Amino acid sequence: MKTFNPILGIALLTVSVALCACGGGGSSTSNSGIDWPATPSWPVSPTPTPPSPSPSPSVGTSNTVPIVVDQSMAGVNQPAVTITLCPPGTANTSQCVTVKNMLVDTGSVGVRVTSSALTDALKSQLLTQFGASDDKIGNAPIVQCAMFASGYTWGPIKRADVTIGSKKASNLPIQVIGDGGYTVPSDCMSRGGPNLGSLLGSHGNYAFNGIVGIGHSVRDIATVAQTLIPATYYYCPSTNSCASTRVPLAKQVMNPVAAFSTNNNGTIIRLPALSAGGQASVTGELIFGVGTQQNNALPSNPTILAVDGNGFFTTQYQGRAIINSAIDSGTNGYAFSDTTIPTTGEWYTPSGALSLSATMEATNGSGSPVAVPFSLGNAANAMASGYAAYDNVGMYLTSLPVYDVSTDTMLSEEGFLWGLPFFYGRSVYTVLENAKVGMQAGPFVAF
C-alpha cells in the first residue's frame, strides 16, 4: 500500500529556495536543494474574480495574530509569526522564550523550532517525550527525522506550552531542531538529503527560526502509529544509538491549533493584494477557528475543495491530472512542471508576464471544479528589487517524494503546489480533519 508522508516535499521547499536565493555563494536565482519536474482537459466554468478580503479585525482580537512577510528571514514570500515557548505548566514567565520568524505553513503539521532560538535554561526545562511503541523499556527519548523536499530536520520531541497571540496550546509535543544531542542515523541521512538544521537559526541580521505547521492533520504522520516507516521517528537509548519506531498518535508532533481550547477547527490566512511589481513588506493576519465567531465565518459563496488525508486535491494543468496538489503557504512560489517556460535555476524566468490557468477539483469527485487564473513573471527580474513579497513568481517542480510501504522505497510523483502568491488578496481557509463547519466536513480548503 502506498502511503504519503504529509510533510514530505511541502513545507521546507521554501527554506531551500529562500536560502539559495538570498546569497551564500552562487547565483541569486539558483535552487540546487530541490529536484522538482496543468489548461484543463475538459471544459469548466471559469471562477469569478476573487472578492476583496473582508475588513480585517484589529490585531488585538483574541483569535487573531499578525503575519509579516519581510526580509527578516532573508527570503521571499515567507509568512512569519511570533510564538512564545514555556516549560509545560510553568507559572514563572521568566523561563519563557519569545521566538520570532516562525514560518506559517499550511503544508505541514507541528511546531519545529531551532535549538539556537532557545535559551539553555528553557531547553533544560522542556519535558522529554518518551514512550515509543517499539521501546521495550519505555523511557528512551523520541527523536524525529522530518523529511522535506529540500532536506531533513533532526531533533528530539519535547513538550512545551506554545502561545501564539493570545491562544495557548498546553503541553504540546514539538520538535527541537539541531540540539546536537543525538547522532543522525544513516537511513535518515541517506533518504532525507542535507541536514537543514545547519541552515536554520541566526544568520547575521537574519533568522529563520522554525515552522508553525497548521495543515489539515492533527498529528503529523498518522501512519507511523501502526506502521514502522524508516527515516521518520526513532527512540534513542543513548547518544549514538537510535532505532526506527512506531509512535502513538498522542506522542507525535501535533498541530498547535488542534490543541487550543477554542477556535481549534482550522485557520484563515488573510493577506492583502500586492502592488504591481511586489512590495518590500506585507502585514496580514492569521485567524484561528473557522465558523466559530463573527470574524472567521466562511464567505457566502466560497470555493470549497475537499482534500485527502495528506492535504492533497487534484489540479488539472496542460491536460494532466495532478493528484498531489496543495494550497501551501510554506512554498514561496507557484511550484509545477511546465517545460515550455524558461528557467534560471529552478525559478521560472519567462521573457514576459504569462497569464496561465489551472483547474482545481476535489480528488474524491465532490463539489464543482474551478478554473483558477494566475500570473507568472520573470522571477529574476522581479527579485532584483530586493522586495520580500511577490504574487507572480514560480518554480519548476518535477516531483514530490512518496514513500511506498510495500516496497520500502521512495518514489517520485508529479505535484502542483499553489504557494504563497496564491494567498495575496484572498482569505484562505484551512479546515482540519474531523472538524465540521456548518454542513461541510473537514478536511477541506476554501477561499
Side-chain angles (χ1 to χ4, degrees), residues 255-266:
N255 190 323
V257 176
F260 294 159
S261 59
T262 60
N263 294 310
N264 54 15
N265 65 344

Side-chain angles (χ1 to χ4, degrees), residues 13 26 29 49 107 156 202 204 261 327 334 336 375-376 391 446:
L13 168 63
T29 56
T49 302
S202 298
S261 59
I327 296 176
Y334 296 109
F336 61 100
S375 177
L376 194 69
D391 60 5

Side-chain angles (χ1 to χ4, degrees), residues 47-54 56 268-274 284-285 287 299 303 327 334 360 370-375 391 418-429 446-447:
T47 184
T49 302
S52 299
S54 303
S56 299
I268 308 166
I269 291 179
R270 183 171 290 159
L271 293 173
L274 300 184
E285 293 177 312
I287 302 171
T303 295
I327 296 176
Y334 296 109
M360 297 178 178
V370 57
V372 180
F374 62 102
S375 177
D391 60 5
W418 298 82
L420 197 70
F422 178 82
F423 287 72
Y424 293 118
R426 285 186 170 97
S427 294
V428 179
Y429 299 72
F447 56 91

Side-chain angles (χ1 to χ4, degrees), residues 334 336 341 348 350 352-356 374-378 392-394:
Y334 296 109
F336 61 100
I341 305 173
Y348 284 121
L354 303 177
S355 296
L356 304 175
F374 62 102
S375 177
L376 194 69
N378 186 306
N392 64 343
V393 295

